[in-house]
Amino acid sequence: MRWPSLVAAGVLLGVTACSPQAGEAPVVYPPETLSQPPQTPEPVTVPDAVSATREEILKHAQRGSLSGLSRFAAQNAGFVSNFGGEPDRDYWDLMRRIGIDPNLKLRALMDLPVGVRDVDGVKWYVWPDLAAKSAEDLIPEKLSFRDRKRLRDLVGDDGIAEIRAGKGYPGMRTAIAEDGRWVYFVLGQDGEDD
């Protein structure tokens, strides 16, 4: 057999190996995912009040101070650290005892890209940026390939299944309102069922 024949046989084998077998349905992608180019998000300009709060949070997190972090959280009306209603410090102490250090998680979280979400006419700056998206915009097929990978890395297959079921971003996230109020820091799948 000559080389051109081998190449032709390889191409034919590759085509038949990728084609659906008899009785199998072909994979069909929704047309909107094929016709829309991946969107590059606009860079987010963070207001000074948000930057100041972020720096204050990171100051406590870098020291490893749950006391300082919980005192700062208490200064922010309506701050949420968990969905069970436990006091922030008690909850964070528990997380640390089971091997999830809120200070380390918070520092890693604040290194991720930031997104913006409008909540009742107020802008919230949310880390990571994917957590600022609505549940319907988080469906992997609507994301760029890069964001699909980031989403899988952040929330795993279980988190993606929750998103496909209509739930919002299930992973660790934090938000600061445009006026500098720290709104929440929840561990999501890492530390709780939300």
Side-chain angles (χ1 to χ4, degrees), residues 47 50 116-125 176-179 183:
V50 173
V116 181
R117 183 174 192 131
D118 186 71
V119 178
D120 296 329
V122 177
K123 287 184 181 177
W124 286 8
Y125 293 81
I176 302 171
E178 64 187 327
D179 63 0
V183 181

Side-chain angles (χ1 to χ4, degrees), residues 115-182:
V116 181
R117 183 174 192 131
D118 186 71
V119 178
D120 296 329
V122 177
K123 287 184 181 177
W124 286 8
Y125 293 81
V126 182
W127 287 264
D129 58 337
L130 292 173
K133 293 183 177 289
S134 65
E136 55 272 1
D137 289 336
L138 265 180
I139 296 170
E141 290 76 18
K142 291 187 175 183
L143 299 173
S144 68
F145 288 115
R146 181 181 135 269
D147 285 346
R148 285 182 206 179
K149 181 182 181 336
R150 286 191 323 123
L151 182 64
R152 185 168 306 282
D153 290 346
L154 290 167
V155 302
D157 291 331
D158 291 342
I160 289 175
E162 287 184 37
I163 291 166
R164 289 187 188 284
K167 293 186 179 180
Y169 182 85
M172 175 179 61
R173 57 210 180 269
T174 193
I176 302 171
E178 64 187 327
D179 63 0
R181 182 176 64 88
W182 193 15

Side-chain angles (χ1 to χ4, degrees), residues 92-112:
W92 288 333
D93 276 335
L94 173 65
M95 290 297 100
R96 187 179 268 174
R97 285 194 306 274
I98 64 171
I100 300 170
D101 187 332
N103 286 308
L104 293 176
K105 294 289 188 178
L106 192 51
R107 287 166 46 194
L109 186 60
M110 291 280 193
D111 282 340
L112 297 174

